[in-house]
């Protein structure tokens, strides 16, 4: 009698396989959403880092510097007042950085996507652009009076 009870206590291979199949289906459904969010967040951090570099350069050199956003092509670069650009990691020969596959910029009504950083650290006007990847998006903002640069997830 003890032997039968001992055999009846475990899980069958079929039960374990059903649980594994259900778990993998749940993971497969969640993975693309997490991937979109991670990819969008990473690009937002890169964009904010370039904006901070532009602001810092403007203050350090005492010249206006522009963060140019080319929304249709999904690119951006930091441009000096004389029209040349600041080289940065991942930029092409013309200073443009490109969003990854599946990422795009979306314009925000009544705001320019470009930010012109002044020598005092402020900007000439508030700028906003949205970064979109699948179901995930981030709002990238540069405030005019303070020059504060922020990225906020939009869920």
């Amino acid at each position: 009698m003890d032997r039968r009870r001992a055999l009846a206590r475990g899980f069958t291979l079929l039960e374990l396989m059903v649980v594994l199949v259900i778990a993998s289906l749940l993971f497969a459904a969640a993975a693309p959403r997490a991937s979109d969010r991670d990819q969008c967040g990473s690009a937002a951090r890169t964009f904010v880092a370039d904006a901070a570099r532009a602001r810092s350069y403007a203050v350090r050199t005492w010249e206006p510097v522009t963060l140019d956003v080319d929304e249709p092509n999904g690119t951006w670069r930091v441009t000096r007042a004389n029209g040349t650009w600041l080289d940065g990691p991942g930029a092409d020969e013309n200073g443009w950085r490109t969003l990854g596959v599946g990422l795009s910029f979306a314009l925000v009504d009544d705001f320019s996507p470009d930010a012109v950083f002044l020598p005092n650290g402020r900007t000439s006007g508030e700028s906003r652009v949205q970064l979109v990847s699948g179901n995930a998006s981030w709002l990238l903002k540069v405030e005019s009076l303070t020059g504060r640069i922020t990225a906020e997830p939009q869920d």
Side-chain angles (χ1 to χ4, degrees):
M1 189 72 160
D2 289 332
R3 189 172 187 200
R4 286 186 198 155
R5 284 185 188 159
L7 291 175
R9 279 192 230 164
F11 297 105
T12 66
L13 181 60
L14 180 61
E15 290 170 329
L16 289 173
M17 293 301 289
V18 167
V19 168
L20 287 175
V21 166
I22 291 171
S24 31
L25 288 173
L26 290 173
F27 179 75
R33 178 167 164 77
S35 176
D36 285 344
R37 189 173 35 242
D38 292 345
Q39 186 178 15
C40 200
S42 176
R45 285 186 293 278
T46 302
F47 185 88
V48 167
D50 278 353
R53 187 168 57 100
R55 183 176 187 262
S56 175
Y57 189 85
V59 171
R60 191 176 72 238
T61 61
W62 204 248
E63 70 174 270
V65 176
T66 304
L67 178 65
D68 294 315
V69 177
D70 184 6
E71 178 259 335
N73 294 318
T75 58
W76 76 93
R77 73 176 175 185
V78 177
T79 309
R80 295 181 184 112
N82 65 6
T84 61
W85 51 88
L86 293 178
D87 289 325
D92 67 12
E93 65 277 357
N94 294 320
W96 292 102
R97 292 186 69 157
T98 305
L99 292 173
V101 176
L103 290 166
S104 63
F105 285 121
L107 299 178
V108 177
D109 291 340
D110 301 326
F111 290 97
S112 169
D114 300 335
V116 179
F117 292 96
L118 304 173
N120 62 6
R122 297 178 179 178
T123 61
S124 60
E126 191 161 331
S127 65
R128 292 186 185 182
V129 66
Q130 194 162 10
L131 185 58
V132 180
S133 173
N135 294 329
S137 70
W138 286 67
L139 180 61
L140 309 169
K141 298 190 300 186
V142 179
E143 296 175 7
S144 60
L145 292 178
T146 62
R148 181 174 177 224
I149 306 156
T150 58
E152 301 169 356
Q154 307 292 296
D155 289 324

